[in-house]
Amino acid sequence: AGAGIADGRWTARRRARLLASRVEPTAVLVAAAAAASRPPAAFLQGSAVGWYGDRGDEELNEEAAAGSGFLAELARQWEAASAPLDALGVRRVVLRTGVVLAREGGAFARLVPPFRWGLGGPLGSGRQYFPWIHLADQVGAMRLVLARGELAGVVNLVAPQALRQRDFAGALGRALGRPALLPAPTPLLRLALGEMADVLLAGQRVVPARLLAAGYPFRFADLESALADLLAADGKR
């Protein structure tokens, strides 16, 4: 559930679609849980680190305050849609996820081609933090949350290595053996994408405090190992 955040310019109609495609399916599941003779023991609520807004160098654990902007408001309403489960005694876990790096689809599939062509580089200033997680750890963390009944509330699903976007770009260039020197300036991104440029230009220095406290063993705690795994899978360099 959830229309793609970066699949089109954020017109008023598109923003409404992004919101409805998240809130409405969540409300349907909540209603089903409320009507069930035996409500589910746990409910994993999708969300995103966009909830924190554009926060610069501030370190953000699960206790950090909400941010501002469309992405933050989108996540706020999405999370609120599952709040009625608390009154039913259902263990509700809100998963605030960073950029998921996977071999197929998602952001990674869009990021790699320009770098392979030697056209990659930092986005905007490159100083903004780029919270990420390997798909294997996204799934592993969700399995941990399901198994650990004491975990409830917000859990940040990001890798423990906090990187600025320019460092991410440099690491991807090195992994591909290509230069990563061509920046995409902020004005150009704003012109091309409008408000949707916030997806690329807003930064959150998010830390997975609750996963670390729970002892989750990250398979890919650093970007270099994650890129090696993802790029080795398709054999393309």
Side-chain angles (χ1 to χ4, degrees):
I5 287 290
D7 288 352
R9 290 178 71 94
W10 290 351
T11 61
R13 184 175 181 179
R14 182 67 183 170
R15 286 194 294 269
R17 172 63 179 153
L18 292 173
L19 179 62
S21 64
R22 287 161 172 76
V23 171
E24 292 176 5
T26 304
V28 168
L29 292 173
V30 169
S37 58
R38 176 188 279 179
F43 187 96
L44 271 58
Q45 163 71 57
S47 189
V49 296
W51 188 88
Y52 298 108
D54 188 4
R55 303 290 280 272
D57 292 348
E58 180 183 357
E59 190 171 271
L60 304 167
N61 63 21
E62 287 85 351
E63 303 300 320
S68 59
F70 173 67
L71 290 176
E73 179 61 18
L74 178 69
R76 187 193 69 76
Q77 293 194 43
W78 193 8
E79 293 181 15
S82 67
L85 290 171
D86 294 339
L88 298 177
V90 176
R91 180 170 66 95
R92 183 173 67 111
V93 185
V94 176
L95 306 174
R96 291 186 185 149
T97 302
V99 177
V100 180
L101 304 183
R103 296 182 181 113
E104 296 181 6
F108 191 68
R110 297 185 180 188
L111 286 169
V112 170
F115 282 82
R116 284 204 171 111
W117 303 329
L119 301 176
L123 301 175
S125 71
R127 287 185 48 80
Q128 69 273 30
Y129 277 90
F130 186 83
W132 63 276
I133 187 169
H134 190 293
L135 178 60
D137 283 319
Q138 173 83 359
V139 174
M142 292 170 72
R143 289 170 62 91
L144 176 79
V145 166
L146 282 172
R148 299 282 287 272
E150 75 277 12
L151 286 175
V154 177
V155 177
N156 288 336
L157 295 195
V158 297
Q161 184 188 51
L163 287 174
R164 297 186 189 274
Q165 207 285 322
R166 64 190 179 197
D167 298 324
F168 180 91
L172 181 55
R174 288 191 298 274
L176 290 167
R178 299 288 190 274
L181 303 174
L182 293 178
T186 296
L188 180 62
L189 290 172
R190 291 285 183 201
L191 179 64
L193 303 176
E195 188 183 5
M196 192 176 72
D198 287 349
V199 174
L200 306 174
L201 299 174
Q204 303 91 17
R205 189 180 181 181
V206 182
V207 294
R210 298 197 70 192
L211 282 182
L212 293 173
Y216 175 70
F218 279 89
R219 287 181 57 189
F220 301 99
D222 62 273
L223 184 61
E224 287 72 16
S225 63
L227 292 177
D229 175 75
L230 294 168
L231 295 172
D234 63 9
K236 296 178 182 178
R237 291 299 179 99

